[in-house]
Amino acid sequence: MSQFVRSLPKSFGLTVLLLLIACAAASSQRGTQTGAPELGRVRNLLEKGEQDSAIKVSRKAIADPVTDLNTLLQLGQLLAEHQILPEARAAFTRVLERTPRSFPAAYNLGYAYFQEGNLEQARKSLARSVDLDPASPQANLLLGIILVRLDKKHEGLLQLQKTERLDPHNVELLKLLAMQYSAAGMHKEALASLRRALAVAGADQNLYILLVESYRRAADFQGALEAASEAIQKFPNSSRMNFLLGVRLQALGRLPESRQYFQKSVSLDPNFADGYIALGELARRYGTSQEAVSLLQKALTLRPDYPDALLELAK
């Protein structure tokens, strides 16, 4: 059975979180939108799906020396939101040519490079933005992530630690840091960030899911079980937390106990498809095929496109 981390909401994804961060980096610019005609034309063309025409208008505005800086910044952001990254970069670059100390332009240029996968250029632009605003959690965070991906793990770790010091009570930031630490094999740091997040927002069940997954990725299966047990003490009537503990017990071969928690997960929420999948898998291996089919069909009734149930039924 695939890990329960698959059930995390999409907002946990790096791309979505960084999109939010990128938007926040230039929020001060949005408050003073000029309503420039070129910007309105590009927005209307994109809304109508006329991307080629939008690019032509954008290029003309970017090349025009009378286009004001605020319009260029907003145009770059709009293009980046529509993944028109070369022109977005051109807009931010134009701003930096005219105003070398523009933090929003430097940051968003680095983020555009990051989206394109050009990590070295992203690193240069993000380092510039950090020089311009050393106290920006967004810029420090993205720079740290890029350094880690460039195999500059020590530098990246220092940068990520700096980010955490800048905004120590930001739970979403701590989640993202934990995922980055874990992906880089820095399991001790990942667990520490999640514990700090739990101290701020102990009622967030997703934090416990991440905590258990971090222990699992560190191959600390006993730690994962203890974290899941801690979660069930805090949320005894949560179908997700009962399921989470069942998964960890199953991983350790404690099948009768795991079955109890899977059964409780569906009794708490009769529409909880994950629980039926887990019970169906146990029934297929250790019970009867008829019981297994019934449970898996129940899961498919709740979620017709559920791949795990389809795979189990096909076995």
Side-chain angles (χ1 to χ4, degrees):
M1 181 167 56
S2 58
Q3 296 299 323
F4 185 52
V5 73
R6 67 174 181 265
S7 298
L8 287 171
K10 291 181 180 179
S11 60
F12 277 33
L14 175 61
T15 301
V16 176
L17 281 168
L18 287 176
L19 278 170
L20 294 173
I21 291 169
C23 292
S27 60
S28 61
Q29 300 295 329
R30 290 200 179 95
T32 57
Q33 290 189 359
T34 62
E38 299 88 347
L39 189 64
R41 286 184 63 196
V42 173
R43 183 177 289 110
N44 289 335
L45 288 167
L46 289 172
E47 288 174 354
K48 292 189 291 186
E50 298 178 20
Q51 188 173 100
D52 290 342
S53 297
I55 290 173
K56 289 180 182 178
V57 175
S58 298
R59 288 174 177 171
K60 184 177 179 180
I62 293 167
D64 192 338
V66 304
T67 304
D68 66 88
L69 297 175
N70 194 47
T71 297
L72 285 170
L73 277 171
Q74 293 177 50
L75 181 59
Q77 293 158 18
L78 178 63
L79 293 166
E81 288 168 7
H82 286 82
Q83 294 297 298
I84 305 174
L85 297 175
E87 283 70 26
R89 288 193 288 100
F92 298 134
T93 299
R94 180 69 71 181
V95 173
L96 288 167
E97 289 171 354
R98 292 165 57 179
T99 311
R101 296 193 61 78
S102 170
F103 167 78
Y107 175 83
N108 281 284
L109 178 60
Y111 181 64
Y113 276 124
F114 176 79
Q115 288 182 292
E116 290 180 316
N118 190 338
L119 297 185
E120 183 54 36
Q121 288 299 322
R123 181 193 65 78
K124 292 177 181 178
S125 294
L126 266 297
R128 181 176 183 175
S129 72
V130 168
D131 286 341
L132 292 169
D133 186 358
S136 166
Q138 296 89 359
N140 281 281
L141 168 64
L142 189 50
L143 179 58
I145 290 171
I146 289 167
L147 288 168
V148 169
R149 293 193 178 188
L150 286 170
D151 292 327
K152 298 181 179 182
K153 186 177 288 189
H154 179 69
E155 294 176 57
L157 176 60
L158 292 176
Q159 201 70 46
L160 293 174
Q161 290 173 336
K162 178 185 175 183
T163 303
E164 194 166 339
R165 291 195 298 273
L166 288 169
D167 201 357
H169 304 299
N170 186 326
V171 174
E172 292 303 315
L173 175 62
L174 290 168
K175 289 177 185 176
L176 182 53
L177 283 169
M179 288 188 282
Q180 291 304 302
Y181 287 138
S182 185
M186 304 175 185
H187 302 299
K188 179 180 178 181
E189 290 81 4
L191 292 167
S193 290
L194 289 171
R195 286 296 181 186
R196 281 191 283 275
L198 280 167
V200 177
D204 187 342
Q205 293 185 26
N206 289 321
L207 283 173
Y208 281 101
I209 295 172
L210 283 173
L211 183 66
V212 170
E213 177 65 7
S214 294
Y215 275 114
R216 187 194 68 79
R217 293 188 69 167
D220 184 351
F221 303 114
Q222 185 60 36
L225 176 62
E226 291 172 2
S229 299
E230 180 183 336
I232 207 69
Q233 291 175 11
K234 194 170 186 65
F235 308 102
N237 296 318
S238 164
S239 57
R240 292 201 304 163
M241 295 302 99
N242 277 276
F243 177 82
L244 183 65
L245 181 53
V247 169
R248 298 322 316 157
L249 288 164
Q250 183 184 24
L252 294 175
R254 295 164 61 174
L255 303 181
E257 292 171 85
S258 71
R259 181 182 175 85
Q260 292 175 17
Y261 286 101
F262 292 146
Q263 288 175 327
K264 186 174 181 181
S265 73
V266 296
S267 69
L268 289 166
D269 181 2
N271 295 320
F272 188 61
D274 288 288
Y276 292 108
I277 289 289
L279 289 168
E281 181 180 331
L282 287 176
R284 184 182 62 78
R285 293 184 179 181
Y286 308 106
T288 65
S289 58
Q290 182 177 358
E291 180 187 9
V293 168
S294 175
L295 289 163
L296 295 170
Q297 285 179 337
K298 174 67 174 178
L300 284 171
T301 300
L302 295 169
R303 288 173 57 181
D305 60 343
Y306 204 154
D308 283 7
L310 292 169
L311 287 172
E312 289 298 327
L313 278 173
K315 292 179 180 178

